[in-house]
Amino acid sequence: MAKIIYTHTDEAPLLATYSFLPIVSAFAQKAGIEFETRDISVAGRILAQFGLADDALAELGELTESPEANIVKLPNISASLPQLKAAIKELQEKGYDIPDYPDAPANDDEAAVRAKYFKAIGSVVNPVLRQGNSDRRAPLSVKSYAKKHPHTNKPFGEGSKTRVATMGEHDFKSNEKSVTLASDDTLTIVLETADGEQKVLLERLPVLAGEIVDATVLSAEYLDAFLANALKTAQAEGVLFSVHLKATMMKVSDPIIFGHVVRAFFKDVFDKYGADLKAAGLSANDGLGAILAGLDALPNGAEIREAIDTTLAGGPRLSYVNSDKGITNLHVPSDVIIDASMPALIRNGGKLWDGEGREEDTLAVIPDSSYAGVYATVVEDVKKNGPLDPATIGSVSNVGLMAQAAEEYGSHNKTFEIPADGVVKVLDSAGEVLLQHEVGAGDIWRACQTKDIPVRDWVRLAVGRARATHTPAIFWLDETRGHDAQIIRKVRAYLDDAELVGDTTGLTIDILAPELATAYSLERMRKGEDTISVTGNVLRDYNTDLFPILELGTSAKMLSIVPLIAGGGLFETGAGGSAPKHVQQLLAENYLRWDSLGEFFALVPSFEKYAEAAGVPAAQVLADALDRATATFLDEDRSPGRKLGTIDNRGSHFYLALYWAQELAKQTDDPELAAEFAGLAETLTAQESTIVDELIAVQGSPTDVGGYYLPDPAKASAVMRPSATFNEALAAF
């Protein structure tokens, strides 16, 4: 029997769930919809590894292979190592018998523990659940609202010095090699050192016929030289220095790159005290914050702290995540996530914040050049043509290749920090070399896989969207890049496959390198025209933040549908990049600014799929009413406000419930269901002012939800459901 699975995740989305899920559950029950929850939070994932909780992620992974899958997936933490350690500490304090994370395993048992934790870190959720490709776009109601109530994209100042700095050579993009496999096989990845030793990096890498395997290496030597030059440039030009990475998704490579940046900035400190820090287990990869937190345990900790302060004062000036709390761009690897931080910089006129909270021009450092050109193109376009006007611009939607852990975001188990000079080789089962790179000690080498079935499905989905919307579809692929050249061959072949994609006559479908595709899309946006970006996995992630943030002010309002290849559906609810800040505000002021609009949108197609799969017509009635209610919600501007005294996330949920009940009460497709909701609609309408007053009355004081990674359900529910009148109305219903 079909059922809808609603995921419990982390941070602001989780807290919002304590308020929103009781509403959804009550409404769904009346329509005969089976509704269940599964915990895929970082805390839940950790506990599952030690048998202290059900492995909900594994269960949902199996479900995605069923045509009955119907999963509503909220944003979750893709934990960096500091976040993982913080979650472990909180769980231990709550009485869970789990071990510390072993930074340097001393025996097999500790190695096994580390391996368990590795299954809970980084982007482990998405590769499991995303067994289909991505269709993300702004719903018409959201786009209409943005045009009626445009946010502000600030202009870059005259003579702005803000720009993107990237390596451009000796990096992942420039060193990439790729091959398409002719038959099923099992590959091996080995390092042959200059001393003649052969180290097996990965013993078994199963591949399928038609699968693309690519490999590349980023030179540590050239990375360090690039960073040293970037630091000198930032200081000479008097701009802020900031680095923009994705240490959550690229959980092996990007923390290492981040560590290089920390060591480059604090070169004098590491030259003098590096051995002391290493002996104390304080790693630059974990960020400046972790180092500072551990200095008290060192005999010369005060001396090292003073040296760090001296370096910070001497420049170049760092950008700050939170100048009030002294949190720099280099404090935590997961604090500055490129897909959220770069659009924020562009929206803010190319400025980030210094240690005094002043807005300043910035050198945005994106070491690997694979996609840095996309952001550089937007920066230069806005400098030349002025900020994008949300009241008039078109949309850039996305069809993203991500099924079966496609591309860079599936590289975690095939990424290595090379221990010695030598050659890394990818060998087939016959011992033939498919790919190889000369490497130096400290280099970062990685391989990625992209299976053929996801590529076929991706092309089919892109053509379908172009046909349905009469919108140009642009494949963002660079024929000079090894991997993209292999993908382009497949794309061209499948576009010619009429059985797969149908008749493409009259459709505008093109292939452009990412920088050119960016410029093309921006040109159309400024004319008020829409474009579909058809991208690989990383650009899917980047584009579905970049363009929505410029268009809508947020990426949380996107409709995100993943038609699973097996026939089921995964319905995602937006991005969670701002979630940590929202939690901090809730704890300080009992005010949650998180916008659940993404959940509203995701539930509509989820209900529609349920209606079809389970043969429950009332579910379609529920979906249609929710769609109309969301339009009213937007027209009435009921999203969370920006300051105390206005409705927050909890108030927005009340208004969604009010409008939804009203729509259900007056619909005529199911008179019996209308009668069920008539009383609730009447009650909520009559009690509107009382409920809103009760929701606003709690604001302004600190509150406690009993934990960050694992909130106490009773405390979190009490905080997120503070209106007795609303609670009683739902209970009576």
Side-chain angles (χ1 to χ4, degrees), residues 9-84:
T9 56
D10 303 281
E11 296 177 323
L14 173 60
L15 294 174
T17 297
Y18 283 103
S19 168
F20 186 50
L21 192 56
I23 298 169
V24 178
S25 298
F27 280 53
Q29 185 179 22
K30 293 293 184 182
I33 297 174
E34 284 198 57
F35 219 86
E36 296 183 1
T37 61
R38 295 292 186 276
D39 183 356
I40 58 170
S41 67
V42 65
R45 303 196 307 266
I46 290 170
L47 294 176
Q49 290 302 313
F50 295 94
L52 299 173
D54 292 335
D55 193 343
L57 181 58
E59 178 190 348
L60 294 185
E62 293 178 8
L63 180 60
T64 62
E65 301 298 329
S66 164
E68 291 190 341
N70 190 332
I71 303 168
V72 179
K73 192 263 180 184
L74 279 68
N76 63 278
I77 292 177
S78 296
S80 65
L81 187 55
Q83 287 175 308
L84 179 76

Side-chain angles (χ1 to χ4, degrees), residues 176-182 208-215 401 407 434-435 448-452 455-456 458-459 475-494 511:
E176 189 172 76
K177 300 176 182 179
S178 189
V179 64
T180 300
L181 279 300
L208 302 175
E211 185 167 351
I212 297 170
V213 175
D214 56 84
L401 172 63
E407 296 190 337
L434 299 180
L435 303 164
C448 302
Q449 297 169 262
T450 308
K451 293 178 173 58
D452 184 63
V455 178
R456 287 177 57 88
W458 178 55
V459 174
F475 285 84
W476 293 40
L477 297 168
D478 183 353
E479 63 184 3
T480 68
R481 182 178 169 186
H483 167 81
D484 284 12
Q486 300 289 327
I487 290 281
I488 287 172
R489 289 185 195 175
K490 289 181 178 288
V491 168
R492 287 180 173 150
Y494 296 146
I511 300 172

Side-chain angles (χ1 to χ4, degrees), residues 112 300 327 426 516 578 603 623 641 668 692:
N300 58 346
I327 300 175
V426 179
L516 295 176
S578 60
L603 282 170
T668 57
V692 171

Side-chain angles (χ1 to χ4, degrees), residues 395-416:
S395 285
V396 178
S397 57
N398 181 261
V399 174
L401 172 63
M402 66 179 191
Q404 300 176 0
E407 296 190 337
E408 291 97 334
Y409 282 174
S411 69
H412 312 316
N413 67 330
K414 300 175 288 293
T415 301
F416 307 96

Side-chain angles (χ1 to χ4, degrees), residues 572-597:
E572 298 189 282
T573 67
S578 60
K581 293 181 180 179
H582 292 321
V583 177
Q584 293 166 12
Q585 185 177 14
L586 175 78
L587 298 179
E589 301 178 336
N590 202 349
Y591 187 89
L592 186 65
R593 241 186 83 186
W594 176 257
D595 194 337
S596 295
L597 200 57

